Amino acid sequence: MADYLLDTNTISYWYNPNCPQHANVLARVSAARQPDRQTGYVSRFFVSVITLGEIEYGHRVTPNPNAAAQAAYAKFVNQQCPVPLDITKNVAQDYGAMKAWLFSNCGPKQKKSNAKRAEELVNPSTGKELGIDENDIWIAAQAAAYNLVLVTNDSRGNFGKIIAQFARTLTVENWAK
């Protein structure tokens, strides 16, 4: 049995019965909540503080916010994923390894010369330049550092490359399919 770190989209799919991915995510959640036949262990679901920030951001930029709906969603997240994961030193180390690999393998060529690498410390490549949302790197690093299965349906582009490169320390499942 495993414990899971759910990303923003997976939580949204789970919450919203009108979402096409809802039934698939709900079925996987239900299966994960069944006690292990041998040990009786029941998987736990975690949420990143990064994901909580993404949710809060979404609530604050919604053009016509519905306070009751936003409160219901926040309550759902807090009930289903009651333990928010913080950024720790171990997470920071995994993040650094992932971003360094990404920079070396997918970064802008003009910044890769030895003379420019020192500049990278002062003016680092952005997520946009690396073709990835910076938050996704942090969330992947949390999953690796806390030894959790990352549940996401995002495996495209450079995020998919991180998943493949760090497969020995990062397990990813897509519950939306």
Side-chain angles (χ1 to χ4, degrees):
M1 296 294 299
D3 291 323
Y4 300 95
L5 177 59
L6 307 181
D7 76 350
T8 307
N9 288 334
T10 302
I11 294 170
S12 177
Y13 301 155
W14 179 13
Y15 178 74
N16 184 355
N18 298 320
C19 178
Q21 297 89 344
H22 175 76
N24 291 344
V25 172
L26 187 60
R28 294 296 299 267
V29 166
S30 297
R33 287 208 161 138
Q34 296 302 310
D36 182 86
R37 292 176 195 246
Q38 294 177 352
T39 65
Y41 185 80
V42 177
S43 295
R44 296 174 296 162
F45 299 108
F46 294 89
V47 64
S48 169
V49 295
I50 305 282
T51 298
L52 294 175
E54 290 176 337
I55 292 168
E56 185 65 28
Y57 168 74
H59 287 174
R60 290 174 185 259
V61 299
T62 299
N64 299 310
N66 177 330
Q70 290 176 341
Y73 185 62
K75 181 178 178 182
F76 172 83
V77 173
N78 289 328
Q79 287 176 339
Q80 301 303 324
C81 305
V83 180
L85 295 180
D86 289 328
I87 302 296
T88 64
K89 185 176 181 177
N90 289 343
V91 171
Q93 290 170 345
D94 284 332
Y95 167 85
M98 288 177 183
K99 188 160 181 186
W101 180 88
L102 191 62
F103 173 78
S104 294
N105 293 279
C106 307
K109 295 191 185 331
Q110 69 272 21
K111 287 189 172 185
K112 288 188 183 178
S113 72
N114 285 340
K116 294 284 188 175
R117 284 191 183 245
E119 180 184 320
E120 181 69 13
L121 296 172
V122 176
N123 185 18
S125 296
T126 65
K128 185 174 183 177
E129 289 174 305
L130 296 175
I132 191 169
D133 184 324
E134 194 79 26
N135 288 347
D136 290 342
I137 304 169
W138 280 109
I139 293 168
Q142 283 181 301
Y146 285 101
N147 196 29
L148 301 172
V149 175
L150 175 60
V151 182
T152 182
N153 72 333
D154 184 6
S155 60
R156 303 173 319 262
N158 289 342
F159 189 64
K161 292 176 184 177
I162 284 181
I163 292 169
Q165 177 63 27
F166 291 89
R168 93 182 138 70
T169 59
L170 179 63
T171 304
V172 177
E173 293 182 7
N174 183 347
W175 292 2
K177 291 183 179 181

